[in-house]
């Protein structure tokens, strides 16, 4: 069975705001390898090799669920954003993020901020095990511009779909360069690990991540944790990049966008489900964040015209 058939068998489209797209939008290019062009002892599986991928531009919401299949996913977001969910965990992909994921777990992929423009590659390769001590899967990285990683991503896009030995070696080199750069970055990173973060900060973050719809008060946490609210606010900002209330509002608005695209809930219902009982306050915050009201945001998604992909010549 070829990868296209494997992919279609694993994929299930989920209806979003009365729209349902074909999962093949995620595999604009399918790569083939002529066995006769690779004489023994050369074995394609010994090298990083592309299965499918390309450039994808979408103005319409989509959601796909996947059963497990044997491939890795590399996804770089240029504009907009999406979400990958697996085993109760969720990863939000935003501009300049690079996701690496092993598709041996059931997962779902859906658009979040439109238009979502991204480069996507499904690939295999034994050599990824060499980078395992430095790169975990799933992993999400921020790619600066300029970066050699972007150059290698564009090199991958130029690989012909009917791949010969030269194309295979070019692919292997590009993936190796990407993983080498990411591995060095992980070694040089000075970011704190979860074990380095005080328990009271991780407890507060977990609450905001998983109970965002509930009321939140720094005073309550000050009393419960016996830590000054000013210290809580300062240390949370230094560790996670935003003050607690700002972090909470971002989480609520991100979830609201997803609800607007994936459900038929009205604006009042969405507002309540993400923790805003005052719908006017919710609408004002949403407009300040996105530039449009929740209703207009949803209407644009419904009225958008998709450009599903632009094959690389």
């Amino acid at each position: 069975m070829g990868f296209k058939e494997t992919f279609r068998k694993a994929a299930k489209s989920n209806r979003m705001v009365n729209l349902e797209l074909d999962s093949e939008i995620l595999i604009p290019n399918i790569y083939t390898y002529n066995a006769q062009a690779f004489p023994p002892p050369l074995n394609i599986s010994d090298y990083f090799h592309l299965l499918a991928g390309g450039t994808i531009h979408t103005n319409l919401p989509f959601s796909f669920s996947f059963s497990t299949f044997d491939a890795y996913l590399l996804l770089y977001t240029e504009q907009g954003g999406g979400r990958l969910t697996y085993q109760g965990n969720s990863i939000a992909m935003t501009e300049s993020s690079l996701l690496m994921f092993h598709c041996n777990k059931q997962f779902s992929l859906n658009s979040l901020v439109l238009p979502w423009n991204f480069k996507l590659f499904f690939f295999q390769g034994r050599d990824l095990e060499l980078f395992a001590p430095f790169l975990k899967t799933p992993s999400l990285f921020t790619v600066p511009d300029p970066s050699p990683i972007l150059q290698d991503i564009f090199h991958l896009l130029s690989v012909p779909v009917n791949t010969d030995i030269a194309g295979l070696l070019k692919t292997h080199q590009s993936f190796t360069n990407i993983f080498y750069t990411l591995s060095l970055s992980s070694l040089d990173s000075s970011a704190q690990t979860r074990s380095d973060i005080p328990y009271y900060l991780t407890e507060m973050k977990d609450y905001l991540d998983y109970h965002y719809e509930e009321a939140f008060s720094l005073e309550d946490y000050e009393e419960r944790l016996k830590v000054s609210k000013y210290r809580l606010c300062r240390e949370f900002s230094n560790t996670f990049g935003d003050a607690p209330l700002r972090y909470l509002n971002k989480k609520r608005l991100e979830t609201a966008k997803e609800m607007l695209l994936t459900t038929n809930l009205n604006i009042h219902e969405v507002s309540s489900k993400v923790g805003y009982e005052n719908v006017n306050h919710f609408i004002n915050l949403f407009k300040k964040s996105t530039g449009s009201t929740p209703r207009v945001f949803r209407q644009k998604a419904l009225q958008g015209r998709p450009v599903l992909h632009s094959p690389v010549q």
Side-chain angles (χ1 to χ4, degrees):
M1 185 188 305
F3 182 74
K4 183 175 181 178
E5 291 74 23
T6 298
F7 182 84
R8 288 190 64 86
K9 185 177 179 180
K12 176 188 175 184
S13 177
N14 303 316
R15 183 174 293 275
M16 297 182 66
V17 289
N18 299 320
L19 295 170
E20 190 169 354
L21 300 179
D22 193 310
S23 62
E24 283 195 28
I25 69 168
L26 296 178
I27 48 172
N29 298 318
I30 300 292
Y31 295 86
T32 60
Y33 302 85
N34 184 351
Q36 295 179 347
F38 301 90
L42 193 151
N43 189 334
I44 296 172
S45 62
D46 290 334
Y47 298 82
F48 288 121
H49 58 282
L50 288 165
L51 300 171
T55 298
I56 299 168
H57 308 287
T58 179
N59 293 320
L60 288 182
F62 68 77
S63 175
F64 300 106
S65 299
F66 295 90
S67 57
T68 62
F69 57 96
D70 183 21
Y72 287 92
L73 166 65
L74 195 71
L75 192 156
Y76 172 70
T77 294
E78 292 182 304
Q79 180 186 15
R83 184 188 300 279
L84 184 140
T85 306
Y86 69 99
Q87 297 176 344
N89 300 298
S90 179
I91 300 176
M93 293 163 283
T94 56
E95 187 172 326
S96 300
S97 69
L98 180 67
L99 170 78
M100 186 170 71
F101 182 75
H102 194 185
C103 302
N104 63 350
K105 312 173 189 68
Q106 292 184 352
F107 68 99
S108 63
L109 185 68
N110 61 273
S111 56
L112 189 59
V113 180
L114 299 172
W116 187 17
N117 301 331
F118 57 97
K119 318 290 187 188
L120 170 149
F121 306 98
F122 290 101
F123 69 97
Q124 293 175 337
R126 293 176 183 170
D127 273 5
L128 195 55
E129 297 173 3
L130 299 175
F131 298 96
F134 316 102
L135 303 176
K136 306 300 180 183
T137 176
S139 293
L140 188 70
F141 308 90
T142 299
V143 180
D145 188 8
S147 167
I149 290 176
L150 298 180
Q151 206 168 26
D152 285 303
I153 286 174
F154 283 104
H155 285 166
L156 289 173
L157 291 170
S158 68
V159 173
V161 292
N162 298 312
T163 309
D164 57 12
I165 294 178
L168 178 66
L169 292 176
K170 183 177 181 180
T171 300
H172 183 80
Q173 180 185 34
S174 295
F175 275 119
T176 301
N177 289 344
I178 290 171
F179 300 140
Y180 172 77
T181 302
L182 292 176
S183 296
L184 285 180
S185 175
S186 69
L187 287 176
D188 295 339
S189 174
S190 59
Q192 290 178 301
T193 63
R194 189 175 177 90
S195 61
D196 296 326
I197 301 173
Y199 76 93
Y200 50 83
L201 294 183
T202 59
E203 183 175 332
M204 192 188 314
K205 182 177 181 297
D206 285 344
Y207 179 88
L208 299 179
D209 282 338
Y210 300 107
H211 302 279
Y212 52 82
E213 75 284 1
E214 298 179 11
F216 171 76
S217 166
L218 274 173
E219 287 76 13
D220 289 345
Y221 264 86
E222 180 180 50
E223 177 65 25
R224 186 199 311 177
L225 300 172
K226 307 305 180 186
V227 179
S228 160
K229 65 181 180 180
Y230 303 106
R231 179 181 175 183
L232 286 173
C233 192
R234 182 180 66 253
E235 292 187 6
F236 192 97
S237 299
N238 292 338
T239 303
F240 300 114
D242 281 311
L245 187 57
R246 181 175 173 82
Y247 183 94
L248 175 60
N249 281 328
K250 283 186 175 180
K251 179 69 178 180
R252 286 174 167 175
L253 294 175
E254 180 183 285
T255 305
K257 291 176 190 176
E258 188 169 0
M259 286 184 178
L260 289 166
L261 294 176
T262 61
T263 74
N264 291 319
L265 295 174
N266 63 42
I267 307 304
H268 286 78
E269 290 171 324
V270 171
S271 176
S272 178
K273 284 186 176 293
V274 298
Y276 296 112
E277 294 305 323
N278 185 325
V279 69
N280 289 326
H281 179 55
F282 165 63
I283 292 172
N284 289 334
L285 286 175
F286 193 96
K287 186 174 182 179
K288 184 176 180 180
S289 173
T290 66
S292 63
T293 65
R295 193 176 308 280
V296 171
F297 178 84
R298 174 179 272 172
Q299 288 173 345
K300 285 182 178 179
L302 285 169
Q303 296 169 358
R305 294 294 181 264
V307 182
L308 299 182
H309 66 269
S310 53
V312 177
Q313 301 298 326

